[in-house]
Amino acid sequence: MARDVTFYLARADNGVIGRDGGLPWHLPADLRRFKAMTMGKPMVMGRRTFESFPRLLPGRRHIVVTRDEGWSAEGTERAASPEAALDIAGDVAEVAVIGGAQLYRQLLPHATRIELTEVHAAPEGDARVDAFDPADWIEMAREAHAAEGDRPAFDFVTLIRRT
């Protein structure tokens, strides 16, 4: 069965996706979209991404990639490599890859779709993801949202890998 490997991420105009283990912005609409789109799906993430959560995210499997053989956390499944995480996810229609930056780089060859929130800001940060090459990706949808108060403008964008 063919399955989608979908990246879910919010990325600032300068490539920043994180700062000090968290997001450098607060966009409730992005969090609602993330929850709705990942509900019921296995989520693959790096250990630091998992450890940035205040608790397990309900309704989703948590597959955590770490080389630390002794690492475990209740409610998670440990994978020794990104490819092993995809295997652990099993025969499902979609696997959600939710970060961090290193895992996005490692799994990019496997990605079939990207659900991207383009945050129109240039915050300081210590986790970055390069822009996705338009030679490899087709933009299928875009929904623009204006800035509100101290929240920057952002766009929800769906990219599909060119075949």
Side-chain angles (χ1 to χ4, degrees):
M1 169 176 131
R3 71 169 167 201
D4 278 323
V5 175
T6 305
F7 285 10
Y8 291 89
L9 72 151
R11 181 184 173 280
D13 292 336
N14 63 354
V16 167
I17 65 165
R19 178 176 61 219
D20 300 328
L23 298 174
W25 48 74
H26 180 67
L27 298 172
D30 179 52
L31 299 175
R32 284 191 301 273
R33 180 176 187 253
F34 173 83
K35 180 179 181 180
M37 294 184 92
T38 60
M39 189 58 68
K41 297 173 183 161
M43 297 184 309
V44 172
M45 68 203 81
R47 179 189 49 79
R48 286 184 297 230
T49 296
F50 172 75
E51 290 175 350
S52 74
F53 297 158
R55 62 192 168 287
L56 290 172
L57 303 180
R60 291 155 277 189
R61 285 173 62 197
H62 294 64
I63 302 169
V64 180
V65 178
T66 178
R67 290 181 299 272
D68 182 350
E69 293 179 21
W71 185 90
S72 68
E74 189 172 340
T76 68
E77 300 165 79
R78 188 187 81 79
S81 70
E83 291 76 15
L86 295 179
D87 290 342
I88 289 168
D91 191 17
V92 295
E94 181 184 335
V95 176
V97 177
I98 65 167
Q102 181 179 348
L103 193 60
Y104 290 130
R105 282 189 292 276
Q106 292 170 322
L107 285 177
L108 186 59
H110 300 277
T112 57
R113 190 170 95 227
I114 299 170
E115 293 295 343
L116 175 64
T117 300
E118 291 181 346
V119 180
H120 301 302
E124 293 293 314
D126 53 18
R128 302 182 112 68
V129 168
D130 291 334
F132 297 102
D133 187 343
D136 296 331
W137 299 95
I138 300 168
E139 183 174 312
M140 299 301 291
R142 178 177 293 267
E143 180 184 313
H145 297 266
E148 268 182 46
D150 63 349
R151 294 186 179 130
F154 60 94
D155 293 355
F156 292 144
V157 181
T158 299
L159 304 171
I160 305 292
R161 184 177 290 281
R162 292 181 188 273
T163 52

